[in-house]
Amino acid sequence: MKTEMRHAMRVIVRKKLQSLLGMLGLVAAVIVPAMAYAEDAPRRPNIVIILADDMGFADMGSFGSEIKTPNLDSLAKAGTRFTNFYTHASCSPTRSMLLSGVDTHLNGLGNMNEWIAPNQAGVPGYEGNLNNRVVTMPQLLKGAGYHTYMVGKWHMGKAPDQIPAARGFERDFSLLDGGGSYWDMTNITAAVPKSLFTEDGRYLTKLPEDYYATKTYTDKLIGFIDANRGDGKPFFAYVAHQAPHDPYHLPRDWRNRHPGEYDKGWDQVRQERLKRQVEMGIMPAGTELAERMWFVPDPIVLAPASRYILGKKMELYAGMVENMDFHVGRLIDHLKKIGEYENTIFIFFGDNGAEGTDLFGMIAGSPGSRDNLYAAITWSQTHPNAWGDPGSWVGYGPMWAQVSMTPFSQFKGQLAEGGIRNALIVSGPNVKRPAGSINDGLMHVADLMPTLLEVAGTSYPKASQPDLPPLIGKSWGPVLAGKADSVRTEQDYLAWEVFGNRAVRQGDWKLRWQLKPYGKSDWELFNLAKDPAERNDLAAQNPDKLKAMLVAWESYVKANNVILPSRGPYDTLEKDMPQRVTVHPGFPPLIYQRQFVPPKEMLADPKP
């Protein structure tokens, strides 16, 4: 009996085991193809956005510069350069659109935090930080399975719910302020003497040993990438360099790489850059330089010592750009070393036009003021041999800012092309255009959100969150794939407003209102295809076009709750600056006429 029972039990166990094995086989039959599919499916690319701060359109070798940028140029050679790419005219508005894809007047940066006007204070969209009514790119990419990293300048809020860790970044090492020392935590005003930094969502009490901004940001990012290597997840890295924003702080071995090169002056350097741009195809043949700004002297009339000192400032700026390029190269080399370079999309551009205003003078204010005393003590290293050291402050001024923005008019803060048009490089596996090609399609910084969500295989959650503001950009997918030359039609338009300056771009046409003295405090109309330097106002000759573009402007104002500021940085500027006049080369002849030299055969000594 016991034997029969044991036999029966063996039969039952065997059948259950066979059943269990059958079930496991079925599960395996489902899992293995899925695993095989996952292994066979193409890896989603890593995404690296490298943002330069106050770097000009013409400051890379691949965009016509004499500044040596071999690493950025290598990205241009492998990918595509874009010559009609727009940001905003100042830092935080651009950054807010980059990360949200939403217009500044809805995302919280309708005006910079530093310039919120009395009639804008307390109005939604003008918080001065990236507000919580928008969702950010890192939040969406993180939800789609990406690691999200940030290093560098944030400038979109300092409170715990406003810092990078609160807006979707898994790892960060960030300067929260808009600028400051590259060597330490020294900030730029007496009321805010110490810059704030965060690392992984915690406010830092001190900086790492041997801190230098551009180097440390790169070191930290490489560390973030390596910490998660091998887990199979792609990464999104936002590299928001402080360079080359003033003050120009630089290690000594990077300061003298262009000795005497800029003593020839800004006009000649602009002409040389434009010539190279035309030869490269960056600008069309026949492009004119923008008029030299009326308050900038012709370098010909300056004494050699003055040209030397001003040239040395440009040498320092060039060193800042070259040092940043070197550290970009370190990142590229590391990604090659770990086998991630070929599967990484690189996007490089500057956040606005080059800085031509005297930021130091604006902050320091008048003698006897609190900030003037702070500036004199904190930024006391004024000898040219100390430029670049801790405690020094150098900016290169409007003359060199126009060089950086060759061939365009004006610079940062303005809605002339020199304030908002930037050099853009895109390279990587999604770029199917010919290597080293140049594209003149109309592009905008807000396009990055739809473009990169598409790359990541996810989408903007408008359907599930109907209160989210609409994206204003268009995906670059068709252009990068080589299936289209532009993502915009002749009817699509872009629009801007900051500090009371305003502009609309539609097709080849641009409508612009700039406050005096940089503008007319009236609408001006330009055909940028024929006149990229904005030399010829065509408003009077084209009243119908003017009227049609004003309709676009009013539509933009209504859709985005644009509130023109009651106060701003131009309040007394017209009175304080020289009266604006047209600059004509060689005028007045009085200061250009040279010593007349009589024919040698007609020379004689006086008669006795």
Side-chain angles (χ1 to χ4, degrees):
M1 187 71 177
K2 290 182 179 178
T3 303
E4 291 174 355
M5 289 181 64
R6 283 197 295 269
H7 176 72
M9 289 295 294
R10 287 193 193 104
V11 171
I12 292 169
V13 170
R14 185 165 60 245
K15 286 183 177 179
K16 287 188 175 181
L17 183 59
Q18 287 172 344
S19 176
L20 178 60
L21 290 172
M23 290 176 62
L24 289 173
L26 179 62
V27 172
V30 172
I31 291 175
V32 171
M35 290 175 65
Y37 175 79
E39 289 170 359
D40 293 341
R43 290 176 60 211
R44 291 180 297 172
N46 306 312
I47 301 164
V48 175
I49 296 177
I50 304 172
L51 187 67
D53 197 350
D54 293 357
M55 182 172 165
F57 178 88
D59 281 334
M60 286 183 282
S62 50
F63 279 79
S65 183
E66 72 294 332
I67 298 174
K68 297 174 179 61
T69 53
N71 297 296
L72 292 170
D73 296 346
S74 74
L75 297 179
K77 186 176 181 180
T80 299
R81 285 166 285 176
F82 295 89
T83 62
N84 258 310
F85 171 69
Y86 286 93
T87 59
H88 218 306
S90 56
C91 3
S92 48
T94 290
R95 293 156 199 267
S96 71
M97 289 194 292
L98 188 166
L99 291 184
S100 73
V102 171
D103 186 80
T104 56
H105 302 88
L106 299 178
N107 70 28
L109 272 300
N111 203 340
M112 295 183 72
N113 173 270
E114 296 86 346
W115 289 103
I116 298 293
N119 65 322
Q120 296 170 334
V123 177
Y126 296 83
E127 292 88 348
N129 59 265
L130 190 62
N131 64 36
N132 288 317
R133 287 184 294 278
V134 298
V135 64
T136 70
M137 187 191 305
Q139 286 171 329
L140 297 177
L141 292 179
K142 188 176 183 181
Y146 272 71
H147 289 299
T148 55
Y149 310 136
M150 187 209 159
V151 292
K153 172 176 156 180
W154 179 244
H155 201 192
M156 288 183 289
K158 297 180 180 179
D161 64 339
Q162 299 166 0
I163 60 178
R167 304 315 304 263
F169 285 105
E170 174 187 341
R171 302 289 309 274
D172 82 283
F173 183 90
S174 305
L175 167 67
L176 301 183
D177 294 85
S181 173
Y182 286 67
W183 298 109
D184 51 41
M185 286 181 158
T186 305
N187 207 338
I188 54 183
T189 65
V192 189
K194 183 178 180 180
S195 295
L196 271 182
F197 288 79
T198 59
E199 184 167 20
D200 297 341
R202 307 288 290 182
Y203 296 90
L204 294 181
T205 58
K206 62 181 181 178
L207 293 172
E209 295 293 329
D210 300 322
Y211 173 83
Y212 175 69
T214 315
K215 175 185 178 296
T216 303
Y217 298 154
T218 307
D219 292 343
K220 289 290 183 178
L221 178 59
I222 288 173
F224 296 164
I225 292 169
D226 283 352
N228 289 316
R229 274 180 60 196
D231 67 2
K233 293 176 65 172
F235 64 82
F236 165 64
Y238 173 41
V239 190
H241 279 297
Q242 191 175 339
H245 193 293
D246 55 346
Y248 300 159
H249 287 169
L250 197 59
R252 286 184 174 270
D253 57 339
W254 287 91
R255 297 181 195 176
N256 298 300
R257 299 186 175 221
H258 295 262
E261 185 170 349
Y262 298 108
D263 294 6
K264 56 194 171 188
W266 33 93
D267 284 359
Q268 186 172 334
V269 180
R270 273 211 303 164
Q271 291 160 6
E272 292 168 355
R273 287 195 181 187
L274 177 58
K275 183 175 183 291
R276 286 190 290 268
Q277 288 176 337
V278 172
E279 290 169 350
M280 290 176 172
I282 296 294
M283 299 305 298
T287 297
E288 290 186 85
L289 284 172
E291 178 184 331
R292 180 177 7 99
M293 302 192 80
W294 74 98
F295 54 88
V296 171
D298 185 335
I300 290 175
V301 307
L302 295 180
S306 298
R307 290 208 304 274
Y308 167 77
I309 289 295
L310 294 171
K312 194 172 179 65
K313 293 184 177 184
M314 184 61 191
E315 290 177 31
L316 202 60
Y317 176 86
M320 293 282 291
V321 174
E322 293 182 356
N323 178 267
M324 182 183 68
D325 178 84
F326 169 77
H327 289 290
V328 169
R330 288 180 56 219
L331 175 60
I332 291 172
D333 289 345
H334 185 73
L335 293 178
K336 288 180 178 178
K337 179 181 177 182
I338 64 174
E340 293 290 349
Y341 173 80
E342 297 295 336
N343 195 44
T344 300
I345 297 172
F346 292 91
I347 301 169
F348 176 86
F349 58 97
D351 64 344
N352 42 243
E355 178 64 274
T357 58
D358 179 7
L359 180 60
F360 180 78
M362 183 184 297
I363 292 166
S366 57
S369 67
R370 174 198 65 188
D371 287 332
N372 191 269
L373 177 61
Y374 175 84
I377 296 170
T378 306
W379 308 106
S380 60
Q381 301 303 306
T382 58
H383 193 282
N385 289 344
W387 288 353
D389 287 347
S392 66
W393 186 297
V394 178
Y396 65 177
M399 61 288 291
W400 296 118
Q402 273 206 280
V403 170
S404 289
M405 295 313 300
T406 302
F408 303 126
S409 174
Q410 303 181 18
F411 40 70
K412 177 182 174 181
Q414 313 304 321
L415 291 179
E417 293 295 278
I420 53 178
R421 203 187 303 192
N422 265 274
L424 169 68
I425 297 171
V426 184
S427 73
N430 289 57
V431 182
K432 306 302 182 185
R433 305 184 75 85
S437 60
I438 296 170
N439 176 273
D440 62 358
L442 195 56
M443 320 283 268
H444 190 269
V445 65
D447 298 340
L448 284 167
M449 174 72 103
T451 301
L452 297 179
L453 294 183
E454 187 177 277
V455 166
T458 189
S459 59
Y460 190 63
K462 185 63 178 171
S464 61
Q465 299 184 44
D467 293 335
L468 282 178
L471 296 181
I472 61 172
K474 292 177 176 286
S475 171
W476 297 342
V479 172
L480 298 181
K483 296 177 180 178
D485 287 330
S486 179
V487 297
R488 290 180 170 81
T489 68
E490 291 294 309
Q491 284 69 48
D492 291 326
Y493 71 86
L494 300 171
W496 300 260
E497 185 278 326
V498 69
F499 310 139
N501 294 326
R502 54 212 93 149
V504 179
R505 169 96 194 242
Q506 187 176 40
D508 291 337
W509 292 89
K510 180 178 176 184
L511 186 66
R512 186 184 87 184
W513 173 302
Q514 293 206 141
L515 294 164
K516 293 179 179 179
Y518 290 103
K520 298 179 179 179
S521 289
D522 198 358
W523 289 109
E524 301 172 85
L525 183 67
F526 304 97
N527 186 307
L528 295 182
K530 299 176 181 178
D531 179 26
E534 297 171 289
R535 297 180 71 100
N536 304 302
D537 178 9
L538 303 175
Q541 297 98 301
N542 295 271
D544 291 341
K545 190 65 181 177
L546 175 65
K547 184 177 179 181
M549 293 193 72
L550 282 171
V551 170
W553 166 253
E554 292 300 331
S555 176
Y556 171 73
V557 169
K558 184 177 180 181
N560 295 284
N561 190 33
V562 175
I563 299 173
L564 298 176
S566 56
R567 294 290 307 275
Y570 306 100
D571 287 352
T572 63
L573 205 56
E574 185 180 9
K575 178 178 68 69
D576 295 340
M577 290 179 68
Q579 183 176 349
R580 184 169 181 174
V581 295
T582 302
V583 174
H584 294 284
F587 181 85
L590 170 66
I591 60 174
Y592 288 93
Q593 289 175 344
R594 295 181 177 275
Q595 174 73 44
F596 178 75
V597 179
K600 191 174 181 180
E601 65 273 14
M602 295 184 67
L603 296 176
D605 293 331
K607 294 180 179 179

